[in-house]
């Protein structure tokens, strides 16, 4: 995938998390359904992005992992990266819910998370993998 496609995918992934969280809050789906759909989105993302180059990059960029020798462990780190992105989105949503900065501010922060995740999927350094507070623009 090229940079534009990766950026679009990252935005759609983060946007899906936000939409499912909102739907759960509104009661149109259950929390368990939202979580199951988020997990499936992580699996789908890992399938779409699995390359040897990305696996090597993730092991270097996420130093808490040791390089495995089997393919199952390599798949797991990509799924984990999508899980980290989902967690960052959850943290941003919770932060904005708690502080009531408004919908536009939340959208700005979700876009920042998606942009950082897109860079990460392109094997480019950034702040991805850190706490959402590193990315949140309205935190103060």
């Amino acid at each position: 995938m090229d940079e534009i496609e990766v950026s679009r995918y990252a935005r759609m992934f983060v946007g899906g998390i936000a939409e499912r969280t909102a739907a759960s809050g509104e009661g149109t789906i259950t929390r368990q359904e939202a979580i199951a759909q988020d997990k499936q989105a992580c699996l789908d993302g890992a399938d779409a992005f699995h390359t040897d180059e990305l696996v090597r990059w993730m092991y270097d960029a996420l130093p808490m992992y040791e390089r495995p020798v089997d393919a199952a462990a390599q798949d797991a780190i990509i799924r984990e990266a999508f899980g980290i992105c989902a967690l960052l989105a959850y943290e941003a949503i919770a932060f904005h819910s708690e502080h009531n900065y408004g919908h536009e501010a939340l959208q700005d922060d979700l876009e920042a998370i998606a942009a950082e995740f897109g860079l990460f999927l392109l094997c480019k350094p950034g702040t991805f993998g850190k706490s959402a507070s590193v990315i949140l623009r309205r935190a103060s």
Side-chain angles (χ1 to χ4, degrees):
M1 284 191 213
D2 69 17
E3 192 166 339
I4 292 171
E5 291 172 317
V6 171
S7 176
R8 185 177 300 128
Y9 194 99
R11 283 193 318 274
M12 287 175 34
F13 178 77
V14 170
I17 301 267
E19 288 171 12
R20 288 184 291 275
T21 301
S24 175
E26 295 166 354
T28 56
I29 63 173
T30 68
R31 183 172 182 263
Q32 292 78 14
E33 290 170 325
I35 290 168
Q37 290 174 23
D38 290 348
K39 285 180 182 179
Q40 187 60 53
C42 291
L43 294 172
D44 293 344
D47 288 344
F49 283 91
H50 188 157
T51 64
D52 290 340
E53 177 187 8
L54 185 57
V55 169
R56 283 190 301 276
W57 162 254
M58 288 183 178
Y59 280 110
D60 291 338
L62 300 172
M64 73 252 328
Y65 295 97
E66 295 181 19
R67 293 184 196 281
V69 291
D70 65 7
Q74 292 177 3
D75 287 341
I77 193 170
I78 298 175
R79 288 190 307 270
E80 179 75 11
F82 275 87
I84 291 168
C85 184
L87 180 61
L88 292 171
Y90 296 148
E91 288 179 12
I93 292 164
F95 175 84
H96 282 277
S97 176
E98 183 179 319
H99 296 286
N100 199 23
Y101 284 126
H103 183 72
E104 185 177 314
L106 173 59
Q107 292 306 309
D108 288 348
D109 289 339
L110 292 174
E111 180 63 33
I113 290 167
E116 284 296 322
F117 189 49
L119 289 174
F120 188 77
L121 292 172
L122 290 165
C123 304
K124 295 181 180 182
T127 60
F128 180 77
K130 312 275 191 291
S131 169
S133 63
V134 173
I135 297 171
L136 296 176
R137 296 177 181 185
R138 309 259 175 167
S140 56

